[in-house]
Amino acid sequence: MKNNFAKLTCCFLLISISFSCNRVADKAKEKIDSGAETVGRTTSDVVTSFGKGISDANKVTIALSAELKEKGLSFGKYYLSQNTLGKENTISIYFIADKNIDQPVHLKLFDKSGVEMGRLQQNIKLIQGTAAYYEFVFDAHVEFELKSKITID
C-alpha cells in the first residue's frame, strides 16, 4: 500500500512538474515572440524613416510660372526615374487643368547652386477639369542631383 502511494505521489509530482515546465516554456515563448515583434516593428520604423529621409533629401523642387498658373495649370505628384544607364534623368509630372490648355511648356533643370543642367520643351494639352501625367526625359548626360530645381514656363 505504501509502495502504491509512493508511486502515485511520484506520478503526481512528475505530472505537476511537466505541466509547470510547459507553462513556463509557453510564457517564455510568448515573451520572446513579443520581444521579436517589438524589435521587428522598431527596425521597420527605422528603415522606413531612413528611407524617407533619403527620399526627402533627393526631392526635386518644381516651380510653375505665374503665367501658367493664371492659365489654370497646376501639378500634383511627380516621379523621378532612371534611364538604361542608371542615371536619374526622367521626371513624370501630374498636371491638372482648371481651364482648357494647349501649349508648349519649357522645363529648365538647375543644380542646387543654380547652375543650369538641362532644358526641354513639350506640349501640354488638357481639357478643363482633367489631369494627366506627362513624362519629360532630359539628355542622357543629365542626372538629377540633390536639391535640383525645375522651372516650368
Side-chain angles (χ1 to χ4, degrees):
M1 181 97 158
K2 286 183 181 180
N3 197 12
N4 284 341
F5 182 74
K7 286 180 184 178
L8 188 60
T9 304
C10 271
C11 284
F12 178 74
L13 285 174
L14 287 174
I15 291 171
S16 296
I17 290 171
S18 176
F19 280 122
S20 295
C21 287
N22 284 341
R23 211 169 63 197
V24 168
D26 289 344
K27 291 286 184 188
K29 184 180 180 316
E30 286 176 19
K31 292 294 182 188
I32 289 170
D33 289 347
S34 174
E37 183 180 329
T38 301
V39 168
R41 194 173 29 241
T42 303
T43 302
S44 177
D45 291 347
V46 168
V47 169
T48 300
S49 297
F50 182 72
K52 184 179 182 325
I54 290 173
S55 174
D56 289 348
N58 285 321
K59 273 196 178 162
V60 171
T61 304
I62 300 176
L64 191 63
S65 72
E67 177 189 344
L68 289 173
K69 288 178 184 177
E70 287 174 13
K71 291 185 176 184
L73 189 65
S74 61
F75 67 92
K77 288 193 79 95
Y78 62 88
Y79 299 96
L80 305 177
S81 56
Q82 296 178 347
N83 64 16
T84 56
L85 301 174
K87 288 190 173 187
E88 206 169 47
N89 72 332
T90 303
I91 186 166
S92 298
I93 304 172
Y94 186 73
F95 283 106
I96 305 161
D98 291 331
K99 300 176 185 175
N100 290 341
I101 188 164
D102 184 2
Q103 77 169 66
V105 295
H106 305 274
L107 276 73
K108 291 182 185 175
L109 175 63
F110 301 91
D111 69 8
K112 67 181 177 185
S113 300
V115 176
E116 186 174 328
M117 300 181 344
R119 290 183 184 206
L120 290 174
Q121 178 180 318
Q122 187 170 322
N123 197 60
I124 300 290
K125 183 175 182 176
L126 291 169
I127 298 170
Q128 178 181 359
T130 63
Y133 275 99
Y134 282 81
E135 186 172 88
F136 300 90
V137 181
F138 285 91
D139 183 87
H141 296 96
V142 172
E143 185 167 17
F144 297 119
E145 298 177 355
L146 294 176
K147 314 270 186 196
S148 295
K149 180 180 180 180
I150 294 176
T151 60
I152 306 175
D153 299 310

